[in-house]
Amino acid sequence: MKVFTQSVNFSADQKLIDFIEKKVGGLEKFHDKIVDAEVFLKVQKTSEKENKITEVKINIPGNELIVKKQTKTFEEGISVSVESLKRQLQKSKEKSKDALVS
């Protein structure tokens, strides 16, 4: 699976990009037909500590799954997003199985 990472208003270091690819790549265990993934990293200019916005979009045939999280760090945002996407992918896979059965 190809993972595209875009950082807005800053440049992400290689360590963060590797972390993202490893975490998002792990989603392939939950759905075998993932086309690709897009990750958008944004820093909001606010006084709040939770100013990192992480948006992950997974493309699967016939559907798009999007998760957007606001956290203190991008690593935390990616971890929370991936957990949420795991559940969505499992639901999507069950729905497609149900559609094949009926």
Side-chain angles (χ1 to χ4, degrees):
M1 166 176 62
K2 189 80 180 114
V3 179
F4 301 99
T5 305
Q6 292 182 337
S7 47
V8 181
N9 299 333
F10 77 102
S11 59
D13 65 345
Q14 192 58 46
K15 206 166 112 181
L16 178 60
I17 292 170
D18 292 343
F19 177 81
I20 291 168
E21 288 179 1
K22 183 179 172 206
K23 280 290 211 182
V24 175
L27 290 171
E28 284 186 302
K29 288 184 263 186
F30 297 92
H31 199 290
D32 50 357
K33 293 190 171 68
I34 297 175
V35 178
D36 62 8
E38 294 176 57
V39 180
F40 300 95
L41 307 172
K42 299 173 193 155
V43 179
Q44 241 185 356
K45 294 190 184 346
T46 64
S47 58
E48 293 177 38
K49 284 191 172 84
E50 292 192 357
N51 66 340
K52 312 280 190 304
I53 297 174
T54 309
E55 197 171 322
V56 184
K57 184 169 95 175
I58 300 286
N59 294 310
I60 55 177
N63 206 351
E64 241 180 27
L65 305 175
I66 300 172
V67 173
K68 189 174 184 178
K69 300 287 178 191
Q70 188 166 339
T71 53
K72 291 179 188 172
T73 66
F74 287 121
E75 288 83 358
E76 182 187 354
I78 289 294
S79 296
V80 173
S81 298
V82 165
E83 285 304 313
S84 180
L85 283 164
K86 280 180 191 176
R87 288 189 296 276
Q88 287 185 37
L89 285 167
Q90 286 169 330
K91 280 183 191 172
S92 169
K93 197 171 183 177
E94 283 171 22
K95 278 184 187 174
S96 65
K97 278 184 186 173
D98 291 347
L100 291 172
V101 172
S102 39

